[in-house]
Amino acid sequence: MTSTVDPISLPQRAASNDTEIDREALARLLIEIARNVDPDYRARLDGIPTADPRMETLRQLLVGREISELSRVTHLLDEPEQLAAALGSVLPSAAARALHAQLGEALAPAVERAVQRSIQKSPRTLTDILYPVFLPAIRKSIGEKIDQTFQSLNETLRHIFTWHGLKWRFEAWRTGASFSEVVLRHSLVYRVEHAFLIHRNSGLLIKHVTAENATSEDPQLISSMLSAIQDFVKDSFNEKEQGGLDTIRFGELRLWSEVGPFATLVAVIRGNPPEELHEIIRDVLLRIHDEYSQALEQFDGDSSQLAGVETQLQTCVELKQEESNQGFPWLVVAAVLLVLIPAGGWFFLSWQSGQRWQAYVSRLGTQPGIIVAEQKVRDGQFYIAGLRDPLAADPQSLLAGTQVDPTRVHSRWQFYQSLDPEFVLKRLTASLVPPDSVRLSIVDHRIVAEGEAPDTWIDRARAAARQLSAGGPEFDISRVRDVSPEARAAEHWQTYVSRLEAQPGIIVVQQTARGGHFYISGLRDPLAADPQALLSGTEVDPARVHSQWQFYQSLDPKFVLKRLMVSLTPPKSVRLSIVEDRIVAEGEAPDTWIDRARAAARQLSAGGPEFDISKVRDVSPEARAAEHWQTYVSRLEAQAGIIVAQQTARGGHFYISGLRDPQAANPQALLSGTGVDPARVHSQWQFYQSLDPKFVLKRLMASLAPPKSVRLMIIKDRIVAQGEAPAAWIDRARVAAQQLSADGLSLEISELRELTPPQLTHSREAIQAVNIFFDSGKAVPGPEQLPVLDNLANQLKQLAKDARNAGVTAQFMLTGHSDETGRETAKLSISAARAETVRALLKKRGVDPELLLVRGAGTFEPAEIENSRTGNSANRRVSVTVNFH
């Protein structure tokens, strides 16, 4: 059936964002579609458009909203910036709601590629991120490996040549292990006796496990001491926070410390542990942090949530290695001995034969005239070759007593002439045949001839000396005297001439010997010895001596002294003597004799000895008075604060003038004991202020009137003030110092300290009245002491600030005390631990650690006044002492 109804026109409606559909329009559209389903009807219509507008209208009604949303999403996908903003707003919540396993598997490839590209592009970024984490761990791991290597090397070298080393080498061969592993297994004997787990921030003990049969003191005390030592090292050497002590050794005990994020594991080991034990202890600490990280981070002294930690620590104290007691390997020793005994016998015989041959060679080498050029041992035979002087010992005869078989010795010697003095002496003796009056000997590698011989033998000896080989010993014949009559006479004459030349006052100008007669001439002082008398004992015939002497005055000090004694005739109170080629007169004499001596000194010949009369004193009354006056003037000039400007002596009176400090000595009083008549002294003194430090110090004491707490003293020409004084007095002293500096003197007041202001004294007394109390046997204060610590920290910081404003430095001494419970050493240790604990707690509350000093007093400084606590509780405390510098 066909329809002739024209297609209806649906009303055009704007697309709505409402989710509701126009049902009436939809029904009418469906009816119209049904009418157009007839194919005949469609065939009669020519030019029907391909797109039916009614279908478009239907699509808008059915999926219009979806098309609009799809278009918006497509546009969103085509714009990268809008897509990124949209994903960024929902991605965090989507990742939070997704399953972790699936999300990780999905993101892993992308993250890996991103990290890989980032590293390829900039490796330094990742290096900077991981450097603070990995570098300390790598450095510590490398250090432990190096220590392990050196430990293995040291133990191996220590036992390599011992009996244990031989036994362990056989064990290494039998088991297939390396020798170093066997040595470490037997030599590194150790046992872990204690394991302490200590909270890193507070220093409180979390858990402590002890091995069987191991003893120790209070674990809490040991934990506090370890924490105090760690803080002391960090503060003393400016170590970083993540650093700390790794190893402490005391005798056979070693303390190995491993530091974690929230706790420190300390193992007490007895013996010699291997370096690998560090890794085991570190693994235990890592497992504890993996299982109880949150509980460790929030630890406040309650270890109830860390009950399972004790099981982990128990694995540490079970670590040990005991010395193995294996049976002695008798079969191995027997087998080794069976091999070593024959080899040792053969080696000993060969060694003994070689030693005998070397002894023989050494004997040959020490023989003069024998030079060993070559020696060797081959196939049990001995070969030797060299040079030999015919006068040297026979090498074959030297074999006797050496136990070397002569039939096995093959020698080859070539003759030569040795230059050794012994052989040269033998050849000279054989060729020269010296007479009995001549003796040949060796002196300092020289051949010396001594004695008397005819001139013919002396000529032969001279020729032999010239013919000796160059480089050989010298032949000295200078000590052989010619015994001919002419030579004896000439020798006696030379003896006489030498005697004359040694005489003072005699100068030999010329001397000759001619035709058996002797001629001599020269100069002679009349006071000198007689030359004719000197001939006696020289064996020279006086009749054959012809002398001619001219008189002269010798300038020798002895002759000049004799002439002065004759001409001056000094009195008994004057003594003339020779001192270093000078004639010196000493004593007392009248002025007339002194004038004569002065004239004689001027008349002495130029170039002769000097005549010194400066030590002769004039004994006239005028001279004595002048001498006494000069003594008085010298005494005045040596006085501080007195300056002599002018002094004269005239008409028996003495005049003196100058300057005098009022605080100097009285010049009139200095006259006593000088022998000067005060009535003959006329003085004129003008007062002045001396700059001598002694007088300046006296004037400062009078003008400044220093308090008893200040001391003025002279140090190396400087006036120094020391002590404490009020600010007003220090200002006056500063003004005085400025006035002195203009005169070239200095008053140093740098060592003066201003008296402590009253507010600092009040704060000091308040702080020193505070005490931090502890429970018995504890090194950490209880919770009730925390408010006291907070208040004390505030007081210390305020006092340090006030002291700096006042120009002084405040230091606080924390003194730990203990009660009478326990041993003396334990009481001293726990007192020091309490002081260290308070120091650490004050440091955490902002007090400068450089101002805090600690010491342990034990029971030696008990509390003088007990508060509400009774008995020993008052002595379990830490007190504070304040000092200003």
Side-chain angles (χ1 to χ4, degrees):
M1 184 179 67
T2 62
S3 174
T4 60
V5 180
D6 295 331
I8 63 175
S9 297
L10 295 176
Q12 299 293 329
R13 298 182 59 182
S16 176
N17 292 331
D18 191 7
T19 57
E20 294 294 331
I21 300 175
D22 190 350
R23 300 182 183 276
E24 181 180 356
L26 179 60
R28 293 171 56 194
L29 181 60
L30 291 175
I31 295 172
E32 188 63 29
I33 291 173
R35 292 175 180 174
N36 286 278
V37 172
D38 187 358
D40 296 336
Y41 179 75
R42 291 183 58 189
R44 291 195 303 267
L45 294 177
D46 295 331
I48 295 176
T50 305
D52 193 341
R54 292 173 295 180
M55 295 296 295
E56 182 65 24
T57 302
L58 177 62
R59 185 176 62 179
Q60 288 295 333
L61 291 174
L62 293 176
V63 292
R65 181 176 177 276
E66 287 75 6
I67 292 174
S68 177
E69 291 294 327
L70 182 60
S71 176
R72 187 176 63 82
V73 171
T74 304
H75 178 72
L76 182 65
L77 295 177
D78 292 338
E79 294 293 334
E81 295 182 358
Q82 296 183 9
L83 179 61
L87 290 176
S89 61
V90 299
L91 187 58
S93 59
R97 296 179 182 180
L99 296 178
H100 295 287
Q102 296 178 355
L103 181 62
E105 294 175 358
L107 293 179
V111 172
E112 290 175 357
R113 287 193 298 272
V115 172
Q116 182 178 6
R117 292 177 182 175
S118 175
I119 295 174
Q120 291 175 352
K121 182 179 180 181
S122 178
R124 186 176 183 84
T125 302
L126 185 63
T127 304
D128 294 339
I129 295 173
L130 298 180
Y131 178 85
V133 179
F134 286 164
L135 182 62
I138 293 173
R139 185 168 58 234
K140 185 173 183 180
S141 178
I142 293 175
E144 291 180 358
K145 289 300 181 183
I146 292 175
D147 293 341
Q148 178 181 349
T149 302
F150 277 108
Q151 184 183 41
S152 175
L153 179 61
N154 290 338
E155 295 297 330
T156 303
L157 293 177
R158 189 161 64 92
H159 296 283
I160 192 169
F161 295 115
T162 62
W163 166 248
H164 289 291
L166 180 62
K167 181 176 65 174
W168 294 343
R169 191 171 293 279
F170 174 75
E171 181 181 345
W173 170 78
R174 180 173 54 83
T175 60
S178 63
F179 177 63
S180 59
E181 293 177 359
V182 176
V183 171
L184 291 178
R185 185 163 62 243
H186 288 281
S187 60
L188 299 184
V189 180
Y190 69 94
R191 177 193 182 197
V192 180
E193 294 189 349
H194 301 275
F196 295 88
L197 187 63
I198 304 172
H199 193 249
R200 185 173 178 183
N201 293 331
S202 64
L204 299 176
L205 179 64
I206 300 174
K207 285 294 181 180
H208 166 240
V209 177
T210 305
E212 186 178 358
N213 299 328
T215 59
S216 68
E217 297 293 337
D218 186 2
Q220 183 65 47
L221 173 61
I222 297 175
S223 172
S224 300
M225 289 299 296
L226 291 175
S227 300
I229 292 173
Q230 290 279 5
D231 292 339
F232 170 74
V233 172
K234 291 179 181 178
D235 295 339
S236 299
F237 302 101
N238 295 323
E239 286 295 323
K240 297 180 180 179
E241 185 64 27
Q242 63 269 23
L245 288 177
D246 292 330
T247 304
I248 301 176
R249 182 171 182 177
F250 184 78
E252 293 184 353
L253 291 179
R254 299 169 188 255
L255 276 71
W256 282 8
S257 176
E258 293 295 338
V259 181
F262 307 115
T264 301
L265 178 56
V266 180
V268 180
I269 308 168
R270 184 180 298 277
N272 188 17
E275 291 296 329
E276 295 92 336
L277 193 59
H278 277 292
E279 190 66 27
I280 299 175
I281 298 174
R282 193 177 300 117
D283 290 342
V284 173
L285 184 61
L286 289 176
R287 289 198 302 269
I288 292 174
H289 276 80
D290 289 342
E291 297 181 14
Y292 306 99
S293 59
Q294 184 176 1
L296 290 173
E297 183 179 7
Q298 301 175 357
F299 179 75
D300 57 355
D302 184 11
S303 59
S304 59
Q305 298 181 359
L306 299 169
V309 171
E310 187 170 354
T311 305
Q312 297 286 354
L313 296 179
Q314 190 66 35
T315 60
C316 290
V317 298
E318 293 176 355
L319 297 174
K320 64 180 179 178
Q321 179 171 313
E322 299 179 350
E323 186 174 5
S324 59
N325 297 320
Q326 299 180 355
F328 190 77
W330 294 106
L331 294 178
V332 177
V333 174
V336 171
L337 291 177
L338 289 176
V339 175
L340 292 180
I341 287 176
W346 176 84
F347 177 77
F348 175 75
L349 293 177
S350 300
W351 174 81
Q352 188 180 46
S353 177
Q355 290 296 108
R356 291 171 180 172
W357 170 251
Q358 291 300 326
Y360 170 64
V361 173
S362 299
R363 180 183 295 184
L364 285 178
T366 58
Q367 290 295 319
I370 294 180
I371 300 176
V372 178
E374 184 182 3
Q375 63 89 16
K376 59 183 177 180
V377 180
R378 186 174 66 245
D379 299 332
Q381 302 293 317
F382 306 103
Y383 300 88
I384 192 167
L387 303 176
R388 172 175 171 260
D389 192 287
L391 299 176
D394 184 7
Q396 199 69 17
S397 64
L398 295 175
L399 280 170
T402 61
Q403 298 182 359
V404 178
D405 187 3
T407 59
R408 299 168 60 191
V409 178
H410 308 278
S411 57
R412 187 175 72 256
W413 301 102
Q414 294 183 5
F415 289 109
Y416 82 110
Q417 279 193 351
S418 172
L419 295 181
D420 190 278
E422 296 181 6
F423 299 102
V424 176
L425 177 60
K426 289 181 181 179
R427 282 192 284 273
L428 285 175
T429 303
S431 60
L432 293 177
V433 190
D436 295 337
S437 58
V438 175
R439 181 171 61 90
L440 300 182
S441 60
I442 299 173
V443 179
D444 296 333
H445 299 290
R446 296 183 303 117
I447 300 174
V448 179
E450 297 178 297
E452 298 178 345
D455 53 359
T456 56
W457 188 90
I458 293 175
D459 293 338
R460 288 172 53 212
R462 280 197 191 93
R466 289 192 294 269
Q467 293 174 0
L468 286 179
S469 301
E474 176 189 356
F475 184 26
D476 183 8
I477 59 173
S478 60
R479 300 184 185 181
V480 179
R481 291 184 301 165
D482 191 351
V483 294
S484 59
E486 294 80 4
R488 287 186 177 274
E491 181 180 350
H492 295 159
W493 171 248
Q494 291 299 327
T495 302
Y496 171 65
V497 173
S498 299
R499 182 180 294 182
L500 283 177
E501 292 176 340
Q503 290 295 318
I506 294 179
I507 300 175
V508 177
V509 178
Q510 188 178 8
Q511 60 89 16
T512 58
R514 186 172 65 250
H517 287 260
F518 305 101
Y519 302 89
I520 190 168
S521 62
L523 303 175
R524 172 175 172 259
D525 191 286
L527 299 176
D530 185 6
Q532 200 69 16
L534 295 174
L535 277 171
S536 61
T538 61
E539 300 182 7
V540 178
D541 186 3
R544 301 170 65 186
V545 177
H546 308 276
S547 59
Q548 185 177 2
W549 300 102
Q550 294 183 5
F551 289 107
Y552 83 111
Q553 280 192 354
S554 173
L555 296 180
D556 187 278
K558 296 180 181 178
F559 299 105
V560 175
L561 176 61
K562 290 180 180 180
R563 282 191 285 271
L564 287 175
M565 292 291 291
V566 173
S567 62
L568 290 178
T569 313
K572 295 181 180 180
S573 59
V574 175
R575 181 170 60 90
L576 300 183
S577 59
I578 299 174
V579 179
E580 297 180 354
D581 295 328
R582 293 184 304 117
I583 299 173
V584 178
E586 296 177 295
E588 297 178 346
D591 52 356
T592 56
W593 188 91
I594 293 175
D595 293 339
R596 288 173 53 212
R598 217 176 260 116
R602 290 193 296 269
Q603 293 174 359
L604 286 180
S605 301
E610 177 188 356
F611 184 25
D612 183 7
I613 59 174
S614 61
K615 297 183 179 180
V616 179
R617 292 187 300 165
D618 190 350
V619 294
S620 58
E622 294 79 6
R624 288 187 177 275
E627 182 179 350
H628 295 161
W629 170 249
Q630 290 301 325
T631 301
Y632 170 64
V633 172
S634 299
R635 180 180 296 183
L636 282 178
E637 291 175 341
Q639 290 294 319
I642 294 179
I643 299 176
V644 177
Q646 188 178 9
Q647 61 89 16
T648 57
R650 187 172 63 251
H653 288 260
F654 305 101
Y655 302 88
I656 190 168
S657 62
L659 303 176
R660 171 177 172 256
D661 192 286
Q663 296 180 353
N666 187 3
Q668 201 71 14
L670 296 175
L671 278 170
S672 61
T674 60
V676 179
D677 184 5
R680 301 169 64 189
V681 177
H682 309 278
S683 58
Q684 184 177 1
W685 300 103
Q686 293 184 3
F687 290 110
Y688 84 111
Q689 282 193 351
S690 173
L691 295 180
D692 188 278
K694 297 179 182 178
F695 300 107
V696 175
L697 177 61
K698 291 180 180 179
R699 286 193 289 273
L700 285 176
M701 293 292 292
S703 62
L704 292 178
K708 295 181 179 180
S709 59
V710 175
R711 184 161 57 97
L712 298 180
M713 64 185 68
I714 299 174
I715 300 177
K716 294 182 180 179
D717 297 330
R718 295 179 297 113
I719 301 176
V720 179
Q722 296 178 339
E724 293 183 348
W729 191 91
I730 294 177
D731 293 337
R732 289 173 52 210
R734 190 175 290 109
V735 172
Q738 293 174 353
Q739 294 174 351
L740 285 177
S741 62
D743 297 330
L745 294 177
S746 64
L747 170 60
E748 293 188 5
I749 60 174
S750 59
E751 298 184 19
L752 281 177
R753 296 189 306 273
E754 186 177 347
L755 290 176
T756 306
Q759 63 270 24
L760 297 185
T761 304
H762 177 72
S763 300
R764 175 169 58 184
E765 293 174 355
I767 290 174
Q768 292 183 160
V770 178
N771 287 303
I772 308 300
F773 295 96
F774 297 77
D775 294 332
S776 179
K778 300 296 183 181
V780 178
E784 71 278 3
Q785 296 297 319
L786 297 181
V788 181
L789 284 169
D790 295 337
N791 187 32
L792 177 60
N794 295 331
Q795 289 178 316
L796 295 180
K797 289 186 288 186
Q798 184 62 39
L799 179 57
K801 180 180 178 181
D802 296 339
R804 284 193 300 269
N805 295 334
V808 297
T809 301
Q811 278 194 332
F812 312 105
M813 175 65 73
L814 304 177
T815 304
H817 306 269
S818 64
D819 54 19
E820 296 293 336
T821 306
R823 295 179 301 177
E824 197 62 38
T825 55
K827 292 184 285 188
L828 191 61
S829 299
I830 196 171
S831 65
R834 287 168 175 167
E836 286 287 353
T837 301
V838 172
R839 180 179 183 270
L841 294 174
L842 291 175
K843 174 186 173 183
K844 292 181 178 180
R845 285 163 171 79
V847 180
D848 188 358
E850 295 182 357
L851 304 179
L852 299 176
L853 305 177
V854 297
R855 71 184 185 96
T859 59
F860 299 104
E861 297 176 11
E864 298 180 356
I865 301 175
E866 296 183 357
N867 54 12
S868 59
R869 301 171 182 266
T870 58
N872 291 329
S873 60
N875 290 326
R876 296 193 297 268
R877 75 191 195 285
V878 170
S879 59
V880 185
T881 304
V882 182
N883 296 312
F884 295 106
H885 301 284

